[in-house]
């Protein structure tokens, strides 16, 4: 596994390799039509500052396609990972604009999807976990597109509303399934049920119909059928929400075994060593031996490289799907008038810090792949290093349609950045604030809050007895060196603590910690031969009756640090110093 590129300099050595990779993707035009990327001309000049707010091609509004993959790691694309075959994703990157620093404000399926659909953070939209994700009072951005004259269609995983697959407001066409769904129509059915003709089902415009194919292929079939049947006089917005590559990734037969011989190098921080464990919270070290840990992944004994190979093979059908969509656009002369945004709802850890899956605030969990392709308005072959959040997607789609951002939305349209009308150095996205709320079904990860500012990330946890974290992600992208106790970073630590608290206030000005009703103990098993509980930091062990035993009741200051160093009692003055 390659190291993470620097957040400060994403166009470093790794990005130079990216540029070379993108330049070589033209060679994939010889692929069969079903998977061959579209051949496009050079992108049109960037729109000028005085252009009309509605983006049009030949006098007609731009069409939009949003392709959302589930749990796709930020670098799980062929142009970034040698040996990975994703020609159509690579095509979008080489003929569009790549955003290497796209992130999610909550790295969990339902909260992230709710943020994408509402343009609101979890503390405000209220969808905090995958268990009881009520949609009461929420407005999804496609409703605004409908009002602007767009035909809208949703195809795939919704994963909100207590696994309810019924049609939602904002969509003219609806094809979905309950909860996580399955990869195959007969999956999770008994032999007797299969013999009797029972199949997993899709909800198609409110009617339950039997599944027929592998889920990625079947969803793409429905999406393309809708494109063919729609009113061609109206622009369209297509939301294709894949189940892949969510656990347990199961590839389509045509991709099974495709990466059997692929060498998979796990990240440096995967190793359970004193160096990697230094400064890490106890919950992180304890999670190694858990459902979301590298030593007991999903309570199996499957080697992590084998899981990653299946993950890549499952991605193959997503790339095929994208190729079919590109082919349709080309054949119907829609390739110049359509914008495609390729994205993921969450990142994924491949053993980083001894962890798998997502949920935490570490880089591979919060970073996601993002490519924007729109030949008439988005420059081709560009890499934009600015941070873009899932919070910003809804305002951007509305911006493209000339719809003003609704008051309740908290994101910021990145359309001018993607178009090149705003230079990266003039783009100010503000702080990146992250929130994750403890989930009783998967109790390994605590409530997590984080903020990133000026290349530094500060992480704190709620309700557990553990250490905070502070990383210079610009210089330490692997997050190996926790600087939380570095006296030189005292002011920065206090500044980020205060900023995080201020930013986490909800729309009522409150700092609430939401939770849902518990129904069981959750997935708490640990491998019987695996690691036992981690110990507290060694510096937390102290002699009894020390003069400074009460010092840490008070805010961190230089005077307190000096008192600790001298072993003295510290009492702040009236100003708190």
């Amino acid at each position: 596994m390659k190291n993470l590129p620097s957040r400060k300099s994403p166009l470093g050595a790794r990005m130079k390799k990216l540029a070379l990779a993108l330049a070589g993707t033209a060679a994939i035009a010889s692929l069969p039509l079903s998977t061959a990327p579209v051949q496009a001309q050079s992108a049109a000049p960037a729109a000028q500052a005085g252009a009309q707010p509605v983006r049009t091609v030949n006098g007609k509004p731009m069409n939009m396609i949003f392709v959302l993959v589930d749990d796709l790691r930020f670098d799980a694309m062929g142009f970034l990972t040698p040996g990975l075959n994703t020609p159509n994703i690579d095509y979008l990157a080489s003929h569009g604009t790549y955003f290497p620093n796209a992130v999610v404000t909550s790295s969990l399926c339902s909260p992230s999807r709710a943020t994408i659909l509402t343009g609101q953070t979890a503390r405000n939209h209220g969808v905090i976990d995958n268990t009881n994700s009520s949609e009461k009072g929420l407005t999804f951005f496609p409703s605004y597109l409908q009002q602007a004259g767009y035909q809208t269609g949703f195809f795939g995983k919704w994963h909100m509303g207590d696994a309810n697959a019924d049609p939602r407001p904002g969509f003219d066409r609806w094809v979905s399934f309950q909860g996580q769904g399955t990869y195959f129509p007969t999956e999770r059915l008994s032999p007797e049920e299969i013999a009797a003709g029972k199949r997993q089902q899709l909800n198609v415009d409110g009617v339950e119909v039997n599944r027929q194919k592998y889920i990625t292929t079947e969803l793409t079939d429905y999406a393309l059928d809708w494109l063919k049947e729609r009113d061609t006089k109206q622009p369209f917005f297509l939301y294709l929400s894949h189940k892949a590559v969510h656990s347990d990734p199961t590839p389509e037969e045509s991709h099974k075994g495709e990466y059997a011989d692929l060498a998979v190098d796990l990240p440096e921080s995967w190793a359970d060593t004193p160096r990697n464990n230094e400064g890490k919270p106890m919950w992180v070290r304890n999670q190694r031996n858990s459902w979301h840990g590298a030593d007991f992944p999903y309570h199996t004994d499957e080697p992590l490289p084998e899981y990653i190979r299946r993950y890549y093979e499952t991605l193959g059908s997503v790339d095929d799907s994208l190729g079919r969509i590109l082919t349709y656009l080309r054949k119907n002369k829609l390739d110049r008038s359509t914008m495609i945004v390729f994205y993921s709802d969450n990142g994924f850890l491949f053993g980083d810090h001894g962890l798998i899956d997502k949920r935490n605030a570490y880089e591979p969990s919060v970073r996601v792949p993002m490519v924007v392709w729109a030949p008439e308005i988005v420059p081709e072959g560009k890499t934009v290093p600015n941070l873009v959040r899932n919070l910003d997607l809804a305002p951007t789609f509305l911006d493209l349609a000339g719809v003003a951002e609704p008051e309740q939305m908290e994101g910021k349209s990145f359309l001018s950045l993607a178009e090149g009308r705003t230079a990266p150095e003039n783009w100010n996205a503000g702080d990146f604030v992250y929130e994750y709320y403890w989930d009783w079904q998967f109790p390994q990860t605590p409530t997590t809050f984080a903020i990133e500012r000026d290349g530094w990330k500060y992480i704190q946890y709620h309700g557990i007895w553990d250490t905070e974290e502070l990383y210079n992600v610009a210089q330490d992208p692997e997050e190996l060196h926790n600087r939380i106790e570095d006296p030189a970073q005292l002011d920065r630590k206090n500044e980020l603590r205060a900023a995080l608290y201020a930013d986490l206030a909800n729309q009522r000005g409150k700092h609430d910690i939401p939770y849902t009703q518990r129904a069981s103990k959750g997935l708490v098993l640990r491998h019987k031969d695996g690691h036992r509980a981690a110990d507290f930091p060694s510096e937390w062990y102290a002699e009894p009756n020390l003069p400074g035993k009460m010092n840490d009741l008070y805010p961190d200051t230089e005077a307190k640090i000096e008192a600790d160093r001298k072993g003295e009692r510290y009492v702040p003055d009236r100003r708190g110093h």
Side-chain angles (χ1 to χ4, degrees):
M1 182 64 58
K2 305 173 293 304
N3 290 335
L4 289 162
S6 168
R7 290 292 291 270
K8 182 178 182 181
S9 303
L11 296 177
R14 183 170 181 175
M15 292 298 107
K16 290 178 181 177
K17 294 180 181 179
L18 164 63
L20 294 173
L22 295 180
T25 55
I28 59 182
S30 60
L31 291 171
L33 184 61
S34 61
T35 59
V38 179
Q39 295 300 303
Q41 302 174 2
S42 297
Q48 300 300 310
Q52 294 296 319
V54 181
R55 304 305 187 273
T56 61
V57 175
N58 297 325
K60 295 183 178 180
M62 289 280 293
N63 303 303
M64 296 175 249
I65 297 176
F66 180 50
V67 179
L68 183 65
V69 189
D70 197 315
D71 285 5
L72 186 61
R73 185 180 169 94
F74 74 96
D75 59 358
M77 298 178 284
F79 65 87
L80 292 176
T81 298
L84 184 56
N85 183 32
T86 58
N88 296 293
I89 299 172
D90 297 354
Y91 172 83
L92 289 188
S94 64
H95 291 76
T97 294
Y98 168 56
F99 290 80
N101 289 317
V103 294
V104 294
T105 55
S106 299
S107 189
L108 183 62
C109 291
S110 295
S112 181
R113 289 163 187 269
T115 292
I116 290 170
L117 283 159
T118 65
Q120 296 176 282
T121 54
R123 58 189 173 275
N124 286 320
H125 62 56
V127 179
I128 60 163
D129 60 24
N130 294 341
T131 306
N132 181 26
S133 46
S134 171
E135 303 162 36
K136 184 178 180 181
L138 301 182
T139 301
F140 308 126
F141 75 84
S143 293
Y144 299 107
L145 293 178
Q146 283 182 321
Q147 295 171 15
Y150 275 76
Q151 299 166 93
T152 61
F154 181 86
F155 304 87
K157 178 179 174 179
W158 182 258
H159 205 241
M160 289 189 290
D162 294 324
N164 184 329
D166 292 340
R168 299 309 203 269
F171 297 100
D172 301 310
R173 179 67 161 167
W174 178 267
V175 179
S176 189
F177 46 79
Q178 289 191 356
Q180 293 286 0
T182 63
Y183 283 100
F184 290 96
T186 56
E187 196 174 331
R188 300 179 187 169
L189 299 178
S190 68
E192 293 76 17
E193 289 174 321
I194 296 172
K198 186 173 181 179
R199 298 293 183 268
Q200 298 290 353
Q201 294 191 314
L202 291 173
N203 186 306
V204 180
D205 293 332
V207 178
E208 297 292 331
V209 300
N210 284 343
R211 289 266 313 277
Q212 303 293 329
K213 300 180 181 179
Y214 182 77
I215 189 62
T216 308
T217 301
E218 190 162 15
L219 291 175
T220 307
D221 288 348
Y222 274 103
L224 289 173
D225 286 345
W226 178 70
L227 288 179
K228 296 170 186 176
E229 298 164 359
R230 66 186 175 84
D231 183 354
T232 58
K233 296 179 181 179
Q234 290 180 267
F236 65 83
F237 173 79
L238 189 159
Y239 193 131
L240 181 54
S241 180
H242 289 296
K243 170 180 172 59
V245 289
H246 194 281
S247 62
D248 189 21
T250 308
E252 198 167 8
E253 194 63 35
S254 59
H255 291 284
K256 190 174 182 180
E258 182 176 2
Y259 297 112
D261 298 324
L262 179 68
V264 175
D265 297 323
L266 298 178
E268 177 185 356
S269 61
W270 165 80
D272 186 11
T273 64
R275 176 179 181 271
N276 286 341
N277 291 332
E278 184 179 0
K280 281 290 178 287
M282 290 184 294
W283 76 262
V284 172
R285 289 178 283 151
N286 284 332
Q287 195 174 109
R288 290 194 68 102
N289 183 10
S290 79
W291 180 269
H292 286 150
D295 293 350
F296 199 20
Y298 303 122
H299 292 172
T300 73
D301 58 358
E302 180 180 29
L304 195 50
E306 287 300 316
Y307 181 92
I308 294 171
R309 293 186 184 98
R310 285 195 293 117
Y311 177 100
Y312 287 156
E313 290 167 1
T314 305
L315 179 62
S317 294
V318 173
D319 192 76
D320 292 344
S321 166
L322 189 57
R324 294 175 62 193
I325 291 170
L326 289 167
T327 298
Y328 172 84
L329 295 177
R330 180 182 64 178
K331 282 187 172 182
N332 291 275
K333 299 181 180 179
L334 294 169
D335 51 317
R336 311 299 301 181
S337 59
T338 302
M339 180 175 78
I340 297 178
V341 176
F342 181 85
Y343 203 80
S344 178
D345 64 343
N346 309 299
F348 201 86
L349 295 100
F350 280 173
D352 308 81
H353 312 294
L355 311 178
I356 64 166
D357 208 76
K358 62 269 185 182
R359 297 175 183 255
N360 55 70
Y362 294 130
E363 290 286 277
S365 175
V366 301
R367 290 178 65 183
V368 293
M370 178 179 171
V371 179
V372 179
W373 176 84
E376 287 294 333
I377 64 172
V378 173
E380 70 173 61
K382 298 293 184 180
T383 297
V384 175
N386 302 77
L387 186 143
V388 172
R389 308 160 296 179
N390 56 347
L391 191 65
D392 304 322
L393 289 165
T396 302
F397 288 126
L398 296 184
D399 192 7
L400 188 72
V403 178
E405 181 174 333
E407 183 178 5
Q408 77 275 10
M409 289 190 178
E410 304 167 67
K412 176 181 180 182
S413 171
F414 57 81
L415 186 59
S416 67
L417 186 64
E419 291 176 324
R421 292 186 294 114
T422 298
E425 60 269 22
N426 295 329
W427 180 261
N428 180 17
D431 296 332
F432 167 45
V433 175
Y434 179 82
E435 60 186 315
Y436 168 82
Y437 298 97
W438 180 77
D439 181 350
W440 60 264
Q441 289 187 321
F442 301 93
Q444 302 89 349
T445 308
T447 291
T448 302
F449 300 129
I451 185 171
E452 184 174 328
R453 174 186 287 183
D454 298 331
W456 286 80
K457 181 192 293 183
Y458 166 71
I459 311 173
Q460 68 175 222
Y461 305 100
H462 178 81
I464 61 171
W465 186 8
D466 218 327
T467 186
E468 306 156 273
E469 296 176 89
L470 179 67
Y471 298 101
N472 184 342
V473 290
Q475 298 178 5
D476 178 24
E478 299 284 341
E479 296 164 300
L480 295 174
H481 307 291
N482 185 3
R483 306 283 293 279
I484 198 66
E485 298 296 347
D486 183 351
Q489 301 305 322
L490 174 64
D491 290 343
R492 188 185 307 276
K493 174 170 62 176
N494 285 334
E495 172 190 333
L496 293 179
R497 281 171 172 168
L500 177 61
Y501 182 75
D503 285 343
L504 282 172
N506 62 27
Q507 58 196 5
R508 302 183 308 280
K510 303 293 185 181
H511 290 83
D512 297 332
I513 304 295
Y515 63 98
T516 54
Q517 182 176 339
R518 189 167 188 158
S520 75
K521 63 184 177 183
L523 295 177
V524 299
L525 298 183
R526 294 170 66 82
H527 194 296
K528 64 182 183 65
D529 298 322
H531 288 274
R532 289 330 195 229
D535 200 0
F536 285 96
S538 59
E539 61 269 23
W540 286 16
Y541 288 92
E543 297 290 339
N545 305 316
L546 291 176
K549 64 183 179 181
M550 302 286 285
N551 287 4
D552 280 321
L553 279 180
Y554 305 114
D556 289 335
T557 63
E558 290 184 2
K560 191 180 84 169
I561 291 175
E562 180 64 14
D564 287 340
R565 188 184 68 80
K566 294 180 177 178
E568 298 175 351
R569 181 187 180 193
Y570 168 76
V571 179
D573 59 26
R574 292 182 178 180
R575 295 175 297 169
H577 298 157

